[in-house]
Amino acid sequence: MRLSVKQYLLLNNLMYLEPEDGPFPDLRDFIGQRIGDYIGTIDVSMIRDDGRPRMTTAEEWKNIILAIARDSLIRKMKIMTVHVDLSPDGGAGKSAVFLSPDTAEAAIVFKGTELVAGSAQWKDNFYSGNLTDTPHQLRALEWYRDVWQNYHLNQYEVTVTGHSKGGNKAKYITVVDGTPDHCVSFDGEGFSDLFFSKYGFEIARHEDRIENHMVDYDYISPLLNDVGSCTYYYGNDYGIGGFTENHLANTFMRFGENGEFWIDVNEDGRPAEMLAFDEFANSYLRSLDDEERSKGLRMLNELLNSVLSVNGAMSRNEIVQTFLEMAEDTDISRHIAYMLAYLIRYEQKYPVMVNLLNSVFTRFDMAGLVQYVELVAGILNWKKQILWISLDFDRLASAFSLIHSHAPKWVYEKLAANLEKRDLKLSYEQIRRMADLIDMTDSFLKTVEIHEDGVDRDVHESVKREISDPWNNEQV
């Protein structure tokens, strides 16, 4: 008998219990003991909301611990080993092996990425968009193969599982290594087009072992191309992090009393808004060649790091400040301009995208972003007829790009005063930087072309036929 999805979710939440977050001992100190021994040392009355920029509250930590404590099967699981990868290529990734005496199952769990700006594993999430095998995936595979041999896991039913980056590692190992019997990923991101090209046969062989479980408004799992089956769940207990909390491991859980909890399937699947985001992201990335895609992914990493560092709704001023601070880096600035140009053309071709974005932001009380999107949409689609001259955003952008480098300082100071009346407080230098961005964006607008194929890659049907053909032994 295998563990249930809820029990795998408990193991993944267990991996996030760290001494710096509360009165939680180090899991590594309990190797050879039971999970119940570890949980039994935690005094839940001592858990506090300590003001750290964490989005899991003390009440949620208590419920997670109580949920683990009330599950007799989880309590009896033995902690065989716990590994924290401190190598330069490991990103401090945490993983563990748990053995269940009741189910003869080995659960190998990979901790996910902390939502902390600049973390090594967070960067690896984006590098994967232009690589077949990332450094952290390779390190996880090496560790997995070591424990497979050292703990004789061929004698067990093996399930690899993980949340976020951990889920991606679990899927990667299942595809590339092939020895896991099952894979259960929670909010794990997908893989690059290059990965699908390299591992097409392996994906076809093993993807039926892979389960993806995702919060319906999670914003990481739509990245790139996924493998395996997909089930979506309603999110719960959104707090200070708002929309950002869609990517927390405990957002799956709707708690009752004393650690009782449920996970509620959204039978409608991934919402239309997130499907639109998925297609736009793939379309944008596929419009770039390999070298430029790597730089574009670096820009996205920096952008999301900045967004994640702001709790709650972002005002228009905060969003503009984020872009301008990033634009100090010449390479990032160029890719911001390209992405803006691509977004402008994409929105002009698919104007429904603005309504879909607004519905997400409204749902999560992000009034600042709703206002910003409506402002941008109004500018992008602005048109005015003056006598026989038709003006629109493209013409204005072109005109501005011609004059901004020659405009006197008082022009920018006047513009700053007018922007401040609209809650945008920018310095002279920031306005000049914005002008440079508009200039580059206008240049890209003249050449950018929308990549029509924004859907996830699939293993080609001919590959699947060759895999299933019993007479075609060369391919297998």
Side-chain angles (χ1 to χ4, degrees), residues 316-335:
R316 283 187 296 171
N317 196 68
E318 287 172 321
I319 294 169
V320 172
Q321 293 283 353
T322 294
F323 273 100
L324 293 179
E325 287 171 9
M326 291 172 56
E328 293 179 10
D329 183 303
T330 303
D331 228 15
I332 290 179
S333 177
R334 191 170 66 86
H335 274 276

Side-chain angles (χ1 to χ4, degrees), residues 1-15 27 30-40 67-82 96-109 153 156-161:
M1 181 186 73
R2 287 175 55 201
L3 300 179
S4 68
V5 174
K6 289 177 64 177
Q7 288 168 323
Y8 292 126
L9 183 60
L10 287 176
L11 291 177
N12 277 278
N13 276 277
L14 172 68
M15 298 293 284
L27 192 62
F30 288 79
I31 292 173
Q33 301 183 56
R34 308 291 180 185
I35 290 177
D37 298 326
Y38 170 79
I39 290 295
I68 295 171
R70 65 183 288 152
D71 191 304
S72 60
L73 196 154
I74 296 292
R75 284 201 315 271
K76 288 189 285 185
M77 293 188 78
K78 189 174 182 180
I79 305 167
M80 300 301 297
T81 187
V82 181
V97 178
F98 304 104
L99 294 184
S100 171
D102 290 348
T103 64
E105 180 178 7
I108 300 176
V109 189
L153 297 186
Y156 297 87
E157 186 172 3
V158 175
T159 297
V160 287
T161 181

Side-chain angles (χ1 to χ4, degrees), residues 343-405:
L343 180 59
I344 287 167
R345 290 292 182 238
Y346 196 90
E347 193 278 335
Q348 289 173 342
K349 186 163 188 173
Y350 304 108
V352 70
M353 185 178 180
V354 170
N355 294 331
L356 291 172
L357 286 173
N358 271 350
S359 68
V360 175
F361 300 145
T362 301
R363 179 184 180 90
F364 292 96
D365 297 322
M366 301 167 77
L369 280 177
V370 171
Q371 190 178 23
Y372 180 76
V373 169
E374 289 176 346
L375 174 69
V376 172
I379 293 172
L380 301 187
N381 296 299
W382 182 83
K383 294 179 181 178
K384 189 174 182 67
Q385 190 78 23
I386 301 178
L387 298 178
W388 60 89
I389 302 174
S390 176
L391 295 179
D392 57 24
F393 174 79
D394 292 357
R395 289 173 183 262
L396 288 177
S398 297
F400 189 78
S401 68
L402 288 173
I403 67 171
H404 92 267
S405 59

Side-chain angles (χ1 to χ4, degrees), residues 222-354:
L223 294 176
L224 307 175
N225 309 289
D226 222 334
V227 294
S229 63
C230 298
T231 306
Y232 299 92
Y233 300 82
Y234 293 106
N236 298 281
D237 295 328
Y238 297 96
I240 189 173
F243 180 75
T244 309
E245 293 195 27
N246 281 292
H247 193 58
L248 297 184
N250 61 283
T251 302
F252 286 87
M253 308 167 82
R254 177 169 59 87
F255 289 105
E257 296 182 356
N258 298 319
E260 186 178 14
F261 77 98
W262 300 265
I263 53 175
D264 303 315
V265 174
N266 183 344
E267 299 291 354
D268 295 328
R270 176 171 281 158
E273 304 94 312
M274 304 311 292
L275 286 171
F277 166 69
D278 186 0
E279 292 194 14
F280 167 75
N282 280 330
S283 175
Y284 161 69
L285 290 173
R286 288 171 185 157
S287 72
L288 301 166
D289 62 30
D290 287 350
E291 181 179 355
E292 292 300 317
R293 190 179 304 116
S294 294
K295 296 175 181 177
L297 287 163
R298 177 183 169 226
M299 180 274 296
L300 286 175
N301 171 55
E302 295 296 330
L303 174 61
L304 286 178
N305 272 336
S306 298
V307 171
L308 288 173
S309 68
V310 179
N311 286 328
M314 294 180 73
S315 67
R316 283 187 296 171
N317 196 68
E318 287 172 321
I319 294 169
V320 172
Q321 293 283 353
T322 294
F323 273 100
L324 293 179
E325 287 171 9
M326 291 172 56
E328 293 179 10
D329 183 303
T330 303
D331 228 15
I332 290 179
S333 177
R334 191 170 66 86
H335 274 276
I336 289 176
Y338 177 79
M339 187 188 71
L340 288 174
Y342 198 88
L343 180 59
I344 287 167
R345 290 292 182 238
Y346 196 90
E347 193 278 335
Q348 289 173 342
K349 186 163 188 173
Y350 304 108
V352 70
M353 185 178 180
V354 170

Side-chain angles (χ1 to χ4, degrees), residues 192-208:
S192 67
D193 290 356
L194 296 174
F195 180 87
F196 269 60
S197 297
K198 179 178 179 179
Y199 292 113
F201 286 105
E202 289 83 356
I203 294 171
R205 285 192 191 98
H206 307 311
E207 68 174 343
D208 60 346

Side-chain angles (χ1 to χ4, degrees), residues 83 85-90 95 97 108 110 133-151 153 169 172-174 176-177 179:
H83 176 62
D85 192 343
L86 298 177
S87 67
D89 290 334
S95 48
V97 178
I108 300 176
F110 293 92
D133 313 86
T134 73
H136 294 181
Q137 289 168 343
L138 291 170
R139 294 289 294 166
L141 177 63
E142 179 184 9
W143 176 80
Y144 169 82
R145 286 174 170 167
D146 284 345
V147 297
W148 173 271
Q149 290 185 335
N150 294 340
Y151 294 96
L153 297 186
K169 290 176 181 177
Y172 175 82
I173 289 167
T174 304
V176 175
D177 187 82
T179 55

